[in-house]
Amino acid sequence: MRLVLDAMGGDHAPAAPVEGALLFAREHPAHEVVLVGDPARLHEPLARAGGLPHNVRLHPASQVVEMEDHAISAIRRKKDSSLRVGFELVRRGEAEALVSAGHSGAVMAGALLVLGRIPGVERPAIATLLPALEGVGRCLLLDAGANVECRPVHLAQWAVLGAAYVQARLGIPRPRVAVLSNGEEPSKGTSLTREASELLRASDLDFTGYVEGKDLFSGNVEVVVTDGFTGNVVLKTSEGVAAAVTGLLRSAIERRGGLPEKLGALLLQPTFTGLKKVMDYAEYGGAPLLGIEGVGIVAHGRSSPRAIQKALEAALQTAQAGLRTELTRCIADAAAWLPARQRGKGATAEAFSD
C-alpha cells in the first residue's frame, strides 16, 4: 500500500517525519511512503539519513499549514500546502491513507473538504486508544478533540463508529459502549449526556450507561463517547499524569539514594520499561478520523520519529482493514434508531476545533 505523510506537520518537522518515514520503510519494505513537503527543507534531514530508500518518494508542496492558522481558511487558501496536497493524493486514489502530526483542526477540515463524510455521519471524530487494566487492555475514546460543540446525535453516531472500529481492530464481537459523565447515576451529567444516553438505550449496541473518568482505564468498557472539548482535556490530562508518575518515582528513588532503593530500582527496571511502553502515546501511533471517506490519521504534535513510525503502521492497519464498508453499513443500520439529520446541522469545518 501507499501511505502519504505530511512531512511539514508537527513540532519537530521535517526531521521527525522524515526519520519516522525511514523507520517505517525499513520495517515494511513492501509498502511505500510518500513524503509531501518542500523539497528544499526535506533535503537536509534526508541527507543525514543517507538518502531515500526504494520505497520512499517525495511529492512537492510549497506551502505549510501553521499552528496559528485558522483551520478551514488555511485548507481553502493554501491549496499547495503539504496537508491539502496529501489529501488530494488520497482522493485521487494515488494513496490509501494520510498521516499528519500537524494542525489537528486543519487535518479534520482537510478530510472534510477533500474526502468528505461517510453517508449518514454528521461529524467525524478523532478516536484515541487508551491503555486499560483489564479486558483487552484498550479503551477507545472519541471524540478526542475535533468537535467542541456537539449534539446528542453526534455522540450516538460516534458510539456506532467506535464499536465498529473496535470490532475490526481489536477483534471484540460486541464492544461495551458508555457515555463519559461526572457520575454513574442516570440523573448526573448534562443535557447532552442525558439525551445521548437516551438515544443509545434505544440502540442495538451493548450500552452500559454512564462511566466516570477512572473507568476509562479499568477495562470495564471498550468504547467511551464524549464531546471533543471534554475528550481532549481527558487525553491531555492522562498524558500529564503518566509523565508525572514516572517523574515522581524517579525523584523518590534519587532523593533517598540508598543501596536498597538503587537495588530495588535495578530489579524493577524491566517493569518500569514495560509500564512506560504501555503509557507512552508514541506506542499507540496516531488516532484515526472515524466517519470520513478514506483513512486519515492524526499523530501527536510532539511526535518523535518512533511515534511517526507507529502512526504510519496505524494507517497501514486501518487501510488494510477496509473499515469504510463496515462503518457505512453500521451507520446505515443505525438509521432505525438514530434521529434524522437536521437540515443545516451537518458537518462543516467551521464547527470543528482549531
Side-chain angles (χ1 to χ4, degrees):
M1 287 191 167
R2 183 177 295 125
L3 309 176
V4 170
L5 177 60
D6 172 14
M8 313 308 294
D11 297 348
H12 307 298
V18 167
E19 293 174 35
L22 299 181
L23 288 174
F24 175 87
R26 285 194 289 269
E27 291 289 325
H28 304 274
H31 302 287
E32 183 179 352
V33 178
V34 181
L35 286 169
V36 182
D38 182 352
R41 292 179 61 184
L42 296 178
H43 175 75
E44 183 180 345
L46 283 171
R48 286 198 307 266
L52 287 171
H54 76 280
N55 57 336
V56 178
R57 67 178 178 89
L58 299 183
H59 190 97
S62 62
Q63 296 174 303
V64 178
V65 176
E66 307 290 353
M67 290 305 296
E68 60 270 18
D69 286 341
H70 183 270
I72 181 62
S73 298
I75 292 296
R76 285 176 172 159
R77 181 168 38 86
K78 296 183 175 181
K79 296 186 183 298
D80 199 43
S81 67
S82 55
L83 190 54
R84 175 77 185 245
V85 170
F87 272 124
E88 293 288 354
L89 290 174
V90 176
R91 183 185 63 81
R92 295 197 299 266
E94 297 178 35
E96 281 71 39
L98 175 139
V99 174
S100 177
H103 192 318
S104 58
V107 177
M108 179 64 84
L112 276 171
L113 286 174
V114 180
L115 301 182
R117 295 171 288 124
I118 287 175
V121 173
E122 291 193 17
R123 293 190 183 181
I126 298 175
T128 299
L129 280 171
L130 300 173
L133 293 170
E134 304 292 341
V136 295
R138 297 285 187 272
C139 176
L140 188 72
L141 173 69
L142 64 168
D143 179 23
N147 305 273
V148 173
E149 297 181 2
C150 309
R151 296 189 296 116
V153 68
H154 301 148
L155 271 64
Q157 289 180 355
W158 299 338
V160 175
L161 296 173
Y165 180 81
V166 167
Q167 284 176 336
R169 283 294 309 275
L170 302 183
I172 302 173
R174 190 164 169 78
R176 292 165 294 182
V177 177
V179 172
L180 186 63
S181 186
N182 62 336
E184 297 179 355
E185 301 83 1
S187 59
K188 292 291 183 68
T190 63
S191 58
L192 172 67
T193 62
R194 288 191 291 271
E195 291 177 36
S197 295
E198 186 177 344
L199 286 174
L200 289 169
R201 275 192 288 270
S203 75
D204 55 1
L205 299 172
D206 186 3
F207 179 61
T208 65
Y210 280 162
V211 292
E212 300 176 5
K214 61 182 174 60
D215 297 306
L216 288 168
F217 310 97
S218 66
N220 293 331
V221 292
E222 287 77 42
V223 179
V224 175
V225 294
T226 186
D227 63 274
F229 178 88
T230 304
N232 194 255
V233 170
V234 167
L235 186 62
K236 299 294 175 56
T237 302
S238 302
E239 292 173 3
V241 169
V245 168
T246 303
L248 289 170
L249 284 171
R250 185 183 299 111
S251 297
I253 293 169
E254 292 174 352
R255 186 169 57 251
R256 295 184 64 88
L259 182 60
E261 286 78 17
K262 291 181 179 178
L263 286 174
L266 184 62
L267 291 171
L268 287 171
Q269 186 60 43
T271 301
F272 289 152
T273 301
L275 179 62
K276 183 178 183 298
K277 187 172 183 178
V278 170
M279 297 169 69
D280 188 0
Y281 70 84
E283 295 296 325
Y284 290 79
L289 301 175
L290 295 186
I292 63 171
E293 284 277 17
V295 178
I297 301 291
V298 179
H300 200 293
R302 298 194 303 274
S303 286
S304 63
R306 170 72 171 170
I308 294 293
Q309 177 194 357
K310 288 292 185 178
L312 286 165
E313 290 176 354
L316 176 63
Q317 293 164 4
T318 303
Q320 288 175 327
L323 281 172
R324 182 202 171 279
T325 300
E326 182 62 14
L327 295 178
T328 302
R329 183 190 66 79
C330 289
I331 284 291
D333 290 347
W337 54 271
L338 281 171
R341 177 175 177 267
Q342 295 182 18
R343 191 174 186 84
K345 293 290 186 179
T348 62
E350 287 86 347
F352 297 112
S353 166
D354 281 341

